[in-house]
């Protein structure tokens, strides 16, 4: 069956450093992969979409890569700030249904 | 843009009771999704509508769960004979036409079954 995996351990980094989160998938080749941010008690908020024919996408301090050979997406936040602390979810699309990973918690220490 | 709204924000119920949640999507969005999320897990797909048609339902969804989207506007999710395992955050999301479009989520309804 299709699986999408994110590191369940929280990522702790110092303010100003680059945070890198990983999303791996198996048994599927998604046409799209998205990243969302979720704060406690709130619904996820869309951040970035990357298509299978794109290697990299950027938006301000955010960068996403998509390696279809490794079946992996990396999500980078440069110059991280305490306000970036949240859970980050990746999702791939199967037809019209997005399937989410469990998310990785990012904690940015001042 | 008023966003996706869900009501209620919190619901506490006793085991065996029925509960109903409402979702009002962004008005021009054709697609509406229901997800369930428990602590430490990602959102788990429950069901999906395009306009008023329910196009897909998760195999994990028991017969106690039913969803409707009359007239292709708001949607309701009903859980009958609630069980403690139903305790979770129920999230609604909407999106415009097209695959790969971003989802706009509501703040969810937190259900606690005692």
């Amino acid at each position: 069956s299709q699986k999408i995996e994110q590191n369940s351990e929280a990522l702790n980094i110092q303010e100003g450093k680059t945070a890198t989160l990983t999303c791996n998938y198996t048994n599927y080749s998604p046409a799209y992969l998205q990243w969302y941010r979720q704060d406690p008690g709130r619904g996820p908020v869309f951040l970035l979409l990357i298509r299978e024919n794109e290697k990299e996408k950027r938006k301000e301090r955010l960068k996403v890569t998509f390696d279809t050979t490794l079946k992996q997406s990396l999500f980078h936040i440069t110059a991280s700030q305490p306000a970036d602390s949240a859970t980050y979810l990746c999702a791939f699309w199967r037809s019209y249904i997005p399937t989410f990973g469990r998310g990785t918690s990012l904690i940015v220490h001042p | 843009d008023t966003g996706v709204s869900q009501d209620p924000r919190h619901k506490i119920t006793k085991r065996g009771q029925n509960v109903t949640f409402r979702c009002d999507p962004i008005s021009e969005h054709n697609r509406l999704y229901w997800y369930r999320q428990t602590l430490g897990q990602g959102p788990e797909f429950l069901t999906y509508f395009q306009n008023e048609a329910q196009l897909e339902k998760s195999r994990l969804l028991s017969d106690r769960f039913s969803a409707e989207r009359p007239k292709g506007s708001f949607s309701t999710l009903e859980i009958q004979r609630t069980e403690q395992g139903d305790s979770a955050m129920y999230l609604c999301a909407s999106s415009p036409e097209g695959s790969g479009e971003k989802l706009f989520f509501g703040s969810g309804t937190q259900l606690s079954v005692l």
Side-chain angles (χ1 to χ4, degrees):
Chain A
S1 63
Q2 302 142 11
K3 282 182 71 175
I4 186 164
E5 294 175 348
Q6 295 185 257
N7 192 346
S8 59
E9 288 185 17
L11 177 63
N12 286 271
I13 63 168
Q14 284 299 124
E15 183 175 7
K17 300 292 187 187
T18 296
T20 298
L21 307 175
T22 305
C23 177
N24 295 298
Y25 58 93
T26 57
N27 299 330
Y28 192 66
S29 296
Y32 310 92
L33 198 144
Q34 296 175 330
W35 284 86
Y36 290 78
R37 169 184 172 140
Q38 188 173 26
D39 292 289
R42 312 293 295 181
V45 174
F46 172 81
L47 295 174
L48 281 169
L49 162 75
I50 188 164
R51 293 178 169 80
E52 61 179 339
N53 60 352
E54 297 175 321
K55 290 265 192 276
E56 181 180 298
K57 207 73 169 290
R58 290 177 185 261
K59 180 183 173 183
E60 297 171 355
R61 295 184 296 112
L62 309 181
K63 183 177 88 170
V64 173
T65 62
F66 193 3
D67 188 327
T68 54
T69 303
L70 292 179
K71 295 187 180 293
Q72 182 181 80
S73 175
L74 298 179
F75 176 79
H76 307 272
I77 305 176
T78 57
S80 59
Q81 304 164 0
D84 295 326
S85 298
T87 296
Y88 292 86
L89 302 159
C90 66
F92 68 64
W93 282 71
R94 170 181 59 84
S95 183
Y96 292 103
I97 312 296
T99 299
F100 285 84
R102 65 186 299 173
T104 298
S105 175
L106 171 67
I107 303 166
V108 181
H109 299 276
Chain B
D1 178 6
T2 56
V4 177
S5 67
Q6 292 188 245
D7 184 69
R9 285 282 280 128
H10 303 276
K11 178 72 177 178
I12 300 173
T13 191
K14 291 183 179 176
R15 192 175 52 184
Q17 298 293 306
N18 299 343
V19 294
T20 300
F21 310 140
R22 178 181 169 120
C23 171
D24 287 273
I26 294 172
S27 59
E28 63 268 25
H29 286 181
N30 296 328
R31 303 186 193 282
L32 186 146
Y33 300 79
W34 284 99
Y35 283 85
R36 176 172 62 191
Q37 187 175 27
T38 53
L39 201 60
Q41 301 298 316
E44 174 189 31
F45 171 74
L46 294 178
T47 190
Y48 149 64
F49 291 84
Q50 180 169 342
N51 298 314
E52 66 276 9
Q54 187 174 19
L55 296 187
E56 190 153 338
K57 202 170 157 180
S58 168
R59 285 190 295 266
L60 303 173
L61 210 61
S62 80
D63 292 342
R64 296 184 297 106
F65 287 71
S66 62
E68 291 183 340
R69 193 184 181 195
K71 302 179 184 177
S73 55
F74 71 92
S75 177
T76 57
L77 177 69
E78 181 183 16
I79 308 174
Q80 296 183 325
R81 305 180 302 283
T82 53
E83 301 171 357
Q84 288 186 323
D86 296 331
S87 296
M89 173 79 87
Y90 289 84
L91 292 163
C92 174
S94 69
S95 77
E97 200 74 46
S99 186
E101 291 288 342
K102 60 185 178 181
L103 297 187
F104 293 78
F105 280 87
S107 292
T109 295
Q110 181 66 53
L111 173 66
S112 298
V113 182
L114 305 178

